[in-house]
C-alpha cells in the first residue's frame, strides 16, 4: 500500500496539513490540491468515498469539519486506505483528547509528527495506536526537558 499524498482540508477548502510522498513541483502540487479539494467538497455525504483523479484514486473521509484526503495508486486497496485514515484520526483523537480543527492549526507540528509515525515514505509504518502514542509522549517529554535546559529561550530578556 503506497500513498502518493495525504492532506487535510476544511469544509471551506483551506488546507490544514499536507504531506507528499512523491516528487512533484509546487505548481503541480497546488493544482492537485485545488482540483482534488473541489472534487471532494462538491460531493454529497452519501456518495462513495473513492474518486478517480487522473491516474490515481482519491480516498477521503470526513470527520467533523475536516476532510482527510489520500491519493493512492489505482491498483491499491481503497478499504485499507480508509482504515489507515481512520487509524490516524483515532491516534490524533486520543493524543489531543477529542481532536478538533483548532488543535491541528495550533499544533500542526505534532500532527505532522504523528503522521510520520503512522506513515513513512507513503507506507504504513506503525499500526499500533499505543506505540504511536508512546513515541509521541516521549517526544513531548524530550521537548519539555530541552526547554527546561535552555532558560534563555523561555525568558529572552532575563527577568
Amino acid at each position: 500500500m503506497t500513498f502518493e499524498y495525504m492532506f487535510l482540508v476544511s469544509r471551506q477548502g483551506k488546507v490544514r496539513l499536507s504531506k507528499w510522498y512523491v516528487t512533484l513541483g509546487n505548481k503541480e502540487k497546488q493544482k492537485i490540491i485545488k482540483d482534488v479539494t473541489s472534487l471532494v467538497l462538491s460531493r454529497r455525504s452519501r456518495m462513495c468515498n473513492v474518486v478517480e483523479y487522473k491516474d490515481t484514486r482519491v480516498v477521503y473521509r470526513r470527520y467533523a469539519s475536516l476532510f482527510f484526503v489520500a491519493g493512492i495508486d489505482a491498483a491499491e486497496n481503497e478499504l485499507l486506505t480508509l482504515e489507515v485514515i481512520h487509524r490516524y484520526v483515532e491516534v490524533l483523537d486520543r493524543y489531543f483528547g477529542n481532536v478538533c480543527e483548532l488543535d491541528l492549526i495550533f499544533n500542526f507540528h505534532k500532527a505532522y509528527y504523528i503522521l510520520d509515525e503512522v506513515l513513512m515514505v507513503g507506507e504504513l509504518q506503525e499500526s499500533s495506536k499505543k506505540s504511536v502514542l508512546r513515541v509521541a509522549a516521549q517526544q513531548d517529554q524530550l521537548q519539555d526537558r530541552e526547554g527546561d535546559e535552555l532558560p534563555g529561550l523561555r525568558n529572552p530578556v532575563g527577568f
Side-chain angles (χ1 to χ4, degrees):
M1 142 145 278
T2 303
F3 283 70
E4 292 187 12
Y5 54 84
M6 184 165 183
F7 56 88
L8 280 57
V9 182
S10 68
R11 285 189 297 183
Q12 293 78 28
K14 295 192 182 243
V15 177
R16 298 301 183 197
L17 179 142
S18 68
K19 186 75 173 183
W20 295 84
Y21 302 105
V22 293
T23 306
L24 296 171
N26 281 336
K27 283 187 177 184
E28 292 174 87
K29 289 179 183 179
Q30 293 304 318
K31 181 168 177 23
I32 291 172
I33 288 175
K34 182 182 167 222
D35 292 347
V36 170
T37 298
S38 65
L39 189 65
V40 167
L41 292 178
S42 66
R43 295 175 62 84
R44 288 190 223 119
S45 61
R46 298 243 182 226
M47 296 177 91
C48 179
N49 289 358
V50 180
V51 183
E52 297 285 332
Y53 176 74
K54 295 187 179 180
D55 59 342
T56 63
R57 284 202 178 124
V58 176
V59 180
Y60 69 93
R61 186 135 185 214
R62 180 179 171 193
Y63 290 92
S65 64
L66 286 176
F67 287 88
F68 290 72
V69 181
I72 60 171
D73 189 61
E76 297 291 340
N77 187 340
E78 301 91 3
L79 295 177
L80 186 58
T81 305
L82 282 171
E83 284 298 317
V84 172
I85 292 171
H86 186 68
R87 179 56 49 114
Y88 178 55
V89 172
E90 285 179 325
V91 172
L92 286 175
D93 198 44
R94 209 175 268 174
Y95 180 79
F96 288 109
N98 199 11
V99 68
C100 67
E101 188 174 350
L102 287 176
D103 289 326
L104 299 177
I105 292 170
F106 292 115
N107 298 301
F108 65 91
H109 57 284
K110 292 180 182 181
Y112 275 112
Y113 183 78
I114 291 171
L115 180 60
D116 288 341
E117 286 298 316
V118 174
L119 291 174
M120 181 178 275
V121 195
E123 298 282 339
L124 181 64
Q125 175 185 336
E126 183 60 66
S127 61
S128 168
K129 288 184 278 189
K130 286 182 181 180
S131 295
V132 173
L133 290 168
R134 183 177 60 248
V135 171
Q138 289 170 349
Q139 178 69 19
D140 288 345
Q141 289 173 352
L142 182 64
Q143 283 180 326
D144 290 343
R145 267 189 298 191
E146 287 178 357
D148 292 341
E149 291 173 5
L150 301 170
L153 290 179
R154 291 187 184 237
N155 191 2
V157 180
F159 292 107

